[in-house]
Amino acid sequence: MKALKLMAAALAFVGATAQAATNQEIINHVSYNVILATYNDLASQAANLNAAVNTLAANPTEANLAKAQDAWRATRIPWESSEAFLFGPVDSLGIDPLLDTWPLNILDLDSVLKSNRAITTDFVRALGTNLQGFHTIEYLLFGDGKSANTKPASALTAKQFEYLKATTALLAENTAYLANSWSKNYDPENPSAPGYVQVISAPGFDNPFYSSDRAVMEEFVQGMMGILDEVANGKMSDPMGADINSANMALVESPFSWNSLNDFTNNIRSVYSIYTGHYRSTKGPGVKALVERVDAALAARVEGEILNCMQLIQAIRPAGGGDFGQAIFTHDGRARAQKAIDALNALHATMENEVLPTLDM
């Protein structure tokens, strides 16, 4: 919440600095200082997570388990904060499902853990995407999430340590590959292909993906609309079901760590980053600067709607403890969740009906 208030306090500054930006300045800033910076952070945090798991495996204390769990949460932040720009290599190279397929296939994972197979990085790489990535690591580090979001270090078996070391190494490898695809080479079959950040930041007739700056701006806006729809009508609505009797914990993302609401908030934070150009301590310009040239009131209203959505998502958290997976089994929690869903859908409509048309003005 503190972060949201700080962002709100920065609105005037961001608007003042972003208003005079050209389309090319917006594209350059968002491409390099938001998207590429996020993927570099993701790769760095994933390497830290792998190191923390190796330390835990060598010395399985409660303190080292807590550090590994913190490292998982820290890695989750840049990943979930990237979901407004799931275009380019993360899509074309099939990296998204390698990192973040859910629900986890717990039955098959438990079967592998009971087998005599040696668990290596290549072994995990050959398994299905629902047996690797964030949620496999989450299940092993935090437990089943039913009544608590942690477990004692003594509950971790030798086989689970093998699996954790292998799958965190693979996560670090895949996130480094993603960062490299944006910074140095987006097509592994063409060594002369540049990093995707160079492609998206240089639109023109000779660009294979973006013939104009409008095409890049539309990519940005469609990316924001895509994650708004997914959070509202997939990540939140699917587990809620039609009523409290059909709520389904198995469909909740990040249920083991009780990190779902932080995931959803960071998803919308990625919208905020593309819209304002604000990422960590870096400030705009973002798409807002383009909207301001057409309708300053609309530009400010959209930013307010984004911040409101983030606050409504955090407000779903049950007062007595727990996360989204617990809230959807209570009437008041479901009411708070529905209020957030309605706000997300309203923001999606604003993007589609009011922001998108500004690209042609």
Side-chain angles (χ1 to χ4, degrees):
M1 285 298 182
K2 183 178 179 181
L4 297 185
K5 291 177 181 177
L6 289 173
M7 283 191 288
L11 294 186
F13 176 80
V14 172
T17 57
Q19 192 167 12
T22 66
N23 285 355
Q24 188 58 56
E25 287 170 337
I26 295 168
I27 290 169
N28 281 345
H29 179 79
V30 170
S31 300
Y32 281 91
N33 298 321
V34 175
I35 300 177
L36 180 58
T38 302
Y39 285 138
N40 284 338
D41 285 348
L42 174 64
S44 176
Q45 293 294 352
N48 291 341
L49 172 59
N50 181 227
V53 161
N54 287 335
T55 298
L56 171 64
N59 187 13
T61 64
E62 297 300 330
N64 284 337
L65 174 58
K67 289 178 181 176
Q69 291 170 335
D70 287 345
W72 182 89
R73 293 189 184 94
T75 310
R76 198 76 180 147
I77 292 172
W79 171 248
E80 292 300 309
S81 300
S82 76
E83 294 206 16
F85 38 93
L86 291 180
F87 47 75
V90 70
D91 178 43
S92 64
L93 299 179
I95 297 174
D96 184 357
L98 296 175
L99 303 182
D100 200 27
T101 292
W102 58 281
L104 170 68
N105 187 338
I106 294 177
L107 286 177
D108 283 0
L109 176 60
D110 287 343
S111 177
V112 171
L113 292 171
K114 291 176 182 175
S115 75
N116 294 322
R117 296 292 302 268
I119 298 173
T120 65
T121 300
D122 284 338
F123 174 77
V124 175
R125 192 196 314 275
L127 298 175
T129 57
N130 57 1
L131 289 172
Q132 56 185 278
F134 275 110
H135 299 300
T136 301
I137 301 165
E138 180 195 9
Y139 176 67
L140 294 173
L141 284 178
F142 293 88
D144 63 17
K146 291 179 180 176
S147 58
N149 62 342
T150 190
K151 65 182 185 181
S154 59
L156 283 156
T157 67
K159 209 70 172 179
Q160 289 177 339
F161 281 128
E162 283 184 35
Y163 209 108
L164 273 170
K165 289 194 293 184
T167 196
T168 56
L170 189 56
L171 186 84
E173 178 186 312
N174 286 327
T175 54
Y177 183 45
L178 176 57
N180 183 76
S181 70
W182 269 83
S183 62
K184 296 179 180 177
N185 173 250
Y186 76 84
D187 182 0
E189 295 183 358
N190 178 10
S192 65
Y196 201 76
V197 71
Q198 296 178 51
V199 175
I200 199 168
S201 61
F205 289 119
D206 58 344
N207 187 307
F209 301 104
Y210 305 100
S211 60
S212 65
D213 55 8
R214 187 204 180 284
V216 178
M217 292 294 190
E218 180 166 356
E219 184 88 286
F220 290 161
V221 176
Q222 293 287 358
M224 291 189 286
M225 290 169 55
I227 191 59
L228 288 169
D229 177 65
E230 183 177 343
V231 173
N233 304 309
K235 294 187 177 192
M236 295 177 68
S237 292
D238 287 350
M240 287 179 67
D243 53 44
I244 199 167
N245 296 317
S246 58
N248 187 349
M249 184 71 157
L251 298 180
V252 175
E253 187 177 28
S254 299
F256 314 121
S257 58
W258 295 4
N259 203 59
S260 311
L261 293 173
N262 287 336
D263 280 2
F264 305 159
T265 302
N266 284 321
N267 289 159
I268 307 309
R269 195 182 305 280
S270 71
V271 174
Y272 184 84
S273 292
I274 294 293
Y275 185 70
T276 64
H278 186 141
Y279 178 68
R280 295 169 64 89
S281 61
T282 303
K283 301 194 184 304
V287 171
K288 179 185 176 185
L290 181 151
V291 180
E292 279 178 331
R293 297 202 300 262
V294 178
D295 187 338
L298 171 63
R301 175 161 57 84
V302 170
E303 185 168 1
E305 288 188 37
I306 297 170
L307 292 171
N308 183 53
C309 286
M310 294 165 70
Q311 291 171 334
L312 289 175
I313 290 170
Q314 283 294 313
I316 298 169
R317 194 178 308 282
D323 199 71
F324 185 69
Q326 287 68 46
I328 60 175
F329 290 94
T330 66
H331 291 288
D332 60 332
R334 292 175 65 83
R336 294 193 299 276
Q338 189 59 54
K339 188 174 181 180
I341 290 170
D342 291 344
L344 289 163
N345 282 324
L347 176 56
H348 182 279
T350 300
M351 288 281 184
E352 184 172 31
N353 299 325
E354 299 183 68
V355 173
L356 202 54
T358 65
L359 304 185
D360 296 319
M361 295 179 183

